[in-house]
Amino acid sequence: MNISRALIALTLTISGVGLAAGYATAESVEPHAVANPAPNTSPIDQSNAPLQIDDAHDPQTDFNNAIGVAANQVGLAATAGAIAGTAVGVAIGCPLGAVTAGFTALPTGPIALPAAALGCVAGASIGIGIGAAIGTAVVAGPVGVASAVQVYNTLHAAGDIAGPVPSY
């Protein structure tokens, strides 16, 4: 009961701080106005001139952004593939290891059950490594190709990559 009251009090406190911070924004502060500003007649001082924003196209930034997106996509696909491959590797490796270790220990008699358990651990560890590698290749490979195509299309649309070379 006390935990829920403390949680409610903490939530209300955070909400109150957020609301109070919302009222103290720069938009709510009135700028100081000058009644009659003197006109600027100096040819050198251009402080009243509008700011010139440089809208120059930067191909390096486009390239970095496109590669960053591709890296995220391939990284996520590799992670998902490794996780799925690990699960499949455990599911296949454990029974396979248990059966093979159990069959090799079968002539010894009562040691067959512990040998099968250890065989399961050995088979699972081998299956994890192989499954993760195969899962990564199977999932991240096609995503890598698709991401490379997306990088090309993004850079081509931005005008950073020229069109096809005309044949003569």
Side-chain angles (χ1 to χ4, degrees), residues 23-34:
Y23 289 116
T25 61
E27 297 169 355
S28 64
V29 178
E30 292 292 327
H32 296 287
V34 178

Side-chain angles (χ1 to χ4, degrees), residues 9-123:
L10 179 64
T11 305
L12 290 174
T13 302
I14 291 172
S15 300
V17 169
L19 287 173
Y23 289 116
T25 61
E27 297 169 355
S28 64
V29 178
E30 292 292 327
H32 296 287
V34 178
N36 292 322
N40 185 7
T41 57
S42 170
I44 297 172
D45 185 17
Q46 297 295 322
S47 61
N48 290 336
L51 293 176
Q52 298 295 324
I53 298 174
D54 186 16
D55 287 333
H57 181 73
D58 185 16
Q60 185 65 45
T61 301
D62 292 342
F63 179 76
N64 290 343
N65 290 339
I67 293 294
V69 169
N72 284 338
Q73 291 169 345
V74 173
L76 289 172
T79 302
I83 290 171
T86 299
V88 171
V90 167
I92 293 173
C94 179
L96 204 69
V99 168
T100 55
F103 281 146
T104 57
L106 195 59
T108 61
I111 198 150
L113 186 60
L118 290 175
C120 174
V121 171

